């Protein structure tokens, strides 16, 4: 029986991040002597995909909300070229918005939640000709160490970004970044994000043992010559006890490499001691989700931080000469022109931080999505579009949002390049066309 998992990734064409979710499902199947191929949709034209997918008996599709239509197109092609194939969908979007997949007749199973055990059970059922329900609730693996290490050979493209190269070592940048997950679950309640991850990964935090993580670092060093790694977890300091144990185990390693973490601003402040110890061990970069320069907006998000806390966290990272990278969002109906100005000021005031502003996208299943949907404010409920210019919520001035994103770029290149101006103008044009088209819809 031939089995494949498909990454339906559409945008982020040049991303060098690997798909840990798919890698772990393949890893679990491999541990149980099942071979599963990996297909990255970005690498094939539709014609090529059609030819490749034909020979598979069981295919799983991993879908995030912005890739919904692309995934549905791939699934429809798959069904047309092979009517006997078993088609499974899983990942963030099928887990949070299962109904739309349940209605799709091309799909045999919708997995809501973690996929390792469920996908393996689907393989077994197909082999034994057993019937399973269409909706399958993903079973969770309590002890993450049991999963072992994912197979990096599936993703040769995992590499460092240009800006990382400069920070890490401009003269001898490492060729690859190895991203590693420590845990599953997030204990916080940001309204633009939760309860999605709580529904998939549960309300409690599961963490790999520090020893297992260290073994993976050593394995990556021995097998691939690891010179730099990144813990991809939403907040590496969620468990102080864990990170303290990790530090003490890591100290006994006989090599040092540079690494990067994601940590919340409030946890950086709470655990300055850990930042200092980690810096001594090679921590060179910390990613922080700052989200806004306005305290009013941070409160709206239930972020649990303030602008003052964010700036305090930056000052701690500066003190230890650790590069801060961060992200901000704009495009909320509650956000005024003054809030946007505050976000721009935050960028200006923290000019040694690598900051990027994104247009806010309301994702299904989140608290804010629910709120805007109930108020009838969403333009497109099924498929949140990732394009920065595309209006998503009524009452948001998207001209202002794209202008803010454009202005924030001045920080890095004071002389805006011609292509930046042209992009801004084309975005303004596309927004105008979008608004005009909605007027016509009103009169339909
Ligand atoms: C690393 C990461 C990225 C990387 C890699 C993306 C990837 N596809 O893995 C990059 C930088 C490319 C990226 C980009 C984007 N990302 Co991102 N990303 C993450 C992050 C931080 C980790 C993902 C991860 O590896 N999780 C750990 C693994 C183990 O979990 P998993 O992938 O969900 O897989 C498990 C289950 O979902 C399930 N499963 C998954 N696939 C399948 C398939 C089958 C068949 C089955 C049965 C089960 C199954 O089983 C897996 C193992 O248990 C998450 C946040 C998070 N903590 O999950 C956000 C997250 C997935 N990203 C998000 C978003 C919004 C984006 C972007 C749209 C941002 C943008 N505006 O461009 C793009 C979209 C890119 C894309 N099309 O994938 C959102 C998705 C929200 C949503 N409703 O879709 C998340 C949840 C962040 C958030 N809290 O809002 N992202
Ligand atoms: S934004 Fe980050 S900290 Fe907040 S709930 Fe989501 S994953 Fe957790």
């Amino acid at each position: 029986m031939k089995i494949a998992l498909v990454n339906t990734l559409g945008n982020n064409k040049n991303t060098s991040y690997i798909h840990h979710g798919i890698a772990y499902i393949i890893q679990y199947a491999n541990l149980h002597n099942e071979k599963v191929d990996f297909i990255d949709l970005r690498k094939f034209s539709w014609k090529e995909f059609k030819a490749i997918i034909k020979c598979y008996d069981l295919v799983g599709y991993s879908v995030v909300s912005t890739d919904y239509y692309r995934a549905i197109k791939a699934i429809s092609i798959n069904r047309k070229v092979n009517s006997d194939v078993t088609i499974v969908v899983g990942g963030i979007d099928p887990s949070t918005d299962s109904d739309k997949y349940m209605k799709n007749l091309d799909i045999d199973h919708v997995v809501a939640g973690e996929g390792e055990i469920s996908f393996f059970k689907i393989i077994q059922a197909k082999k034994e000709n057993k019937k399973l329900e269409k909706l399958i609730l993903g079973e969770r693996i309590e002890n993450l160490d049991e999963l072992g290490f994912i197979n990096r050979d599936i993703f040769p493209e995992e590499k460092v970004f240009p800006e990382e190269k400069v920070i890490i070592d401009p003269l001898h940048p490492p060729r690859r970044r190895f991203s590693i997950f420590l845990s599953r679950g997030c204990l916080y309640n940001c309204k633009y994000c939760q309860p999605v991850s709580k529904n998939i990964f549960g309300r409690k935090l599961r963490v790999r043992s520090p020893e297992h993580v260290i073994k993976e670092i050593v394995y990556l060093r021995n097998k691939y010559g690891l010179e730099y790694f990144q813990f991809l977890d939403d907040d590496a300091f969620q468990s102080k006890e864990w990170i303290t144990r990790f530090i003490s185990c890591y100290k006994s390693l006989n090599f040092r490499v540079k690494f990067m973490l994601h940590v919340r601003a409030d946890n950086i402040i709470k655990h300055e001691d850990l930042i200092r110890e980690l810096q001594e061990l090679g921590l060179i970069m910390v990613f922080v989700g700052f989200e806004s320069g306005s305290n009013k907006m941070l409160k709206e998000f239930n972020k649990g931080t303030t602008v003052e806390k964010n700036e305090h966290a930056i000052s701690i990272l500066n003190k230890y000469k650790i590069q801060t990278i961060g992200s901000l969002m704009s495009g909320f109906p509650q956000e005024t022109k003054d809030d946007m100005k505050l976000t721009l000021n935050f960028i200006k005031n923290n000019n040694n931080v690598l900051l990027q502003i994104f247009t806010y996208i309301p994702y299904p299943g989140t608290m804010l999505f629910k709120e805007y949907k109930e108020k009838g404010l969403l333009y497109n409920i099924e498929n949140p579009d990732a394009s920065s210019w595309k209006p998503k919520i009524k009452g948001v001035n998207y001209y202002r949002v794209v202008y803010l994103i454009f202005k924030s770029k001045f920080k890095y290149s004071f002389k805006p390049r011609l292509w930046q101006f042209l992009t801004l103008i084309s975005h303004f044009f596309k927004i105008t066309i979008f608004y005009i088209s909605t007027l016509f819809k009103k009169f339909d």
Side-chain angles (χ1 to χ4, degrees), residues 423-435:
T423 313
L424 179 75
I425 290 162
S426 87
H427 282 179
F428 276 6
F429 182 69
K430 285 194 260 183
I431 295 169
T432 310
I433 299 285
F434 179 91
Y435 284 138

Side-chain angles (χ1 to χ4, degrees), residues 263-277:
V263 189
R264 284 173 52 101
D266 48 346
N267 279 339
I268 295 174
I269 300 168
K270 255 188 242 157
H271 306 306
E272 185 178 337
D273 52 329
L274 296 178
I275 293 285
R276 182 182 42 77
E277 284 195 70

